Amino acid sequence: MILEMNNIRKSFGAHEVLKDISIGVDRGEVVSIIGPSGSGKSTLLRCATFLETIDGGDISYMGEHAVHTDDAGKAVYVSPQKLRHFRSYYGLVFQQFNLFPHYSILKNLIDAPMHVQGKSKEEATDLAMALLYKMGLSERADAYPYQLSGGQQQRVAIARALAMSPEILFFDEPTSALDPELTGEVLKVIRELAEEHMTMVVVTHEMPFAKAVSNRVVFMADGVIVEQGDPQDVFDNPQEERTKQFLRVFER
């Protein structure tokens, strides 16, 4: 199992956002997380990628503990140095692309492999150009982010995450900032990655995409996992009333 999260709890002040959530992701699996706004989906991803600290629970990558809960019930993280090791296991694609605006597209892709992984400029450039070709953007290597459409920028962001050769990719609403036409570009790339058996966790509001591409769909509401399972089962025959209520909105 690439990722295992057990009994995750997270509060912001008095507001409990994640309530004893447990989830695991196997190699090659595509897991889509759906649910209403405020259900804790993005917070769960931010906890999995150490952008937020959990209050309690355990997080493991590749069978190694990054966080465990001590006898007092408090979450204890490994050292910052070891946490950097865990960060090498995953890539994260944000809603807003988060490209470096003053870097060319090529430099956006080669910077981390060179400075974090120690790759030579030639090696990093060869990999970056191969990824840009895969994204249909090889002719834009010398462009800057502002010269690209939102869909193109998001494809660059995916290529940048892939340049680090992660074990698992996380997507946090990767199409929420895009219009419908550009959304299709990005979903096509994620669909192709799924066909290549890239391990992915996708927080999304694109229900047809989640149904078509996922191996497993997780429905969250009010900080808990209400229901999860095979996409056909969750979408066509949901067992929980809260899931049925949520999906009815998308059937209209």
Side-chain angles (χ1 to χ4, degrees):
M1 188 169 287
I2 289 183
L3 170 66
E4 195 166 1
M5 302 177 75
N6 292 315
N7 310 115
I8 304 299
R9 293 181 289 104
K10 174 65 182 176
S11 296
F12 294 105
H15 179 47
E16 193 177 15
V17 181
L18 299 177
K19 308 169 184 176
D20 195 28
I21 281 189
S22 296
I23 186 171
V25 183
D26 286 320
R27 183 175 299 281
E29 192 176 23
V30 179
V31 178
S32 288
I33 303 178
I34 63 171
S37 297
S39 59
K41 306 183 302 294
S42 292
T43 300
L44 182 64
L45 242 61
R46 292 178 65 82
C47 289
T49 54
F50 314 125
L51 294 173
E52 298 284 356
T53 54
I54 61 174
D55 300 322
D58 305 281
I59 301 175
S60 298
Y61 279 93
M62 312 295 287
E64 301 176 74
H65 266 93
V67 194
H68 74 278
T69 298
D70 64 15
D71 293 338
K74 182 183 176 184
V76 179
Y77 282 73
V78 295
S79 69
Q81 183 180 6
K82 287 184 178 177
L83 214 52
R84 280 196 293 274
H85 161 70
F86 282 101
R87 287 193 173 102
S88 71
Y89 285 136
Y90 62 79
L92 177 59
V93 179
F94 298 90
Q95 297 177 23
Q96 298 292 340
F97 325 136
N98 286 22
L99 300 175
F100 294 114
H102 55 294
Y103 284 0
S104 71
I105 298 309
L106 180 61
K107 186 165 171 55
N108 263 282
L109 264 66
I110 68 174
D111 196 60
M114 288 173 59
H115 293 102
V116 177
Q117 295 181 329
K119 283 186 166 70
S120 68
K121 185 173 183 179
E122 182 181 14
E123 187 182 6
T125 299
D126 286 347
L127 173 61
M129 291 307 298
L131 287 168
L132 288 176
Y133 178 79
K134 181 175 185 157
M135 300 293 156
L137 294 169
S138 51
E139 294 178 1
R140 307 311 304 270
D142 295 326
Y144 285 80
Y146 76 90
Q147 297 174 305
L148 273 58
S149 70
Q152 289 173 326
Q153 289 187 59
Q154 192 62 296
R155 281 183 279 157
V156 171
I158 295 170
R160 183 177 64 176
L162 288 169
M164 297 295 286
S165 303
E167 298 285 347
I168 182 172
L169 266 184
F170 293 98
F171 293 86
D172 186 9
E173 297 277 14
T175 60
S176 64
L178 305 175
D179 64 36
E181 186 176 359
L182 299 180
T183 291
E185 294 178 12
V186 174
L187 295 182
K188 179 175 180 285
V189 169
I190 301 174
R191 192 184 299 265
E192 289 169 354
L193 291 172
E195 289 170 358
E196 296 168 8
H197 305 293
M198 180 74 204
T199 309
M200 294 184 283
V201 177
V202 187
V203 169
T204 184
H205 58 272
E206 301 286 343
M207 298 301 130
F209 168 80
K211 184 176 181 179
V213 175
S214 311
N215 302 107
R216 179 158 47 102
V217 170
V218 175
F219 172 64
M220 286 182 63
D222 303 316
V224 300
I225 292 175
V226 176
E227 188 166 351
Q228 63 177 310
D230 180 271
Q232 298 291 334
D233 293 336
V234 173
F235 283 105
D236 296 339
N237 189 29
Q239 300 301 300
E240 301 295 330
E241 185 57 38
R242 185 67 185 87
T243 316
K244 294 174 185 176
Q245 290 173 2
F246 175 76
L247 292 175
R248 275 188 208 114
V249 175
F250 293 93
E251 292 170 357
R252 290 171 188 165

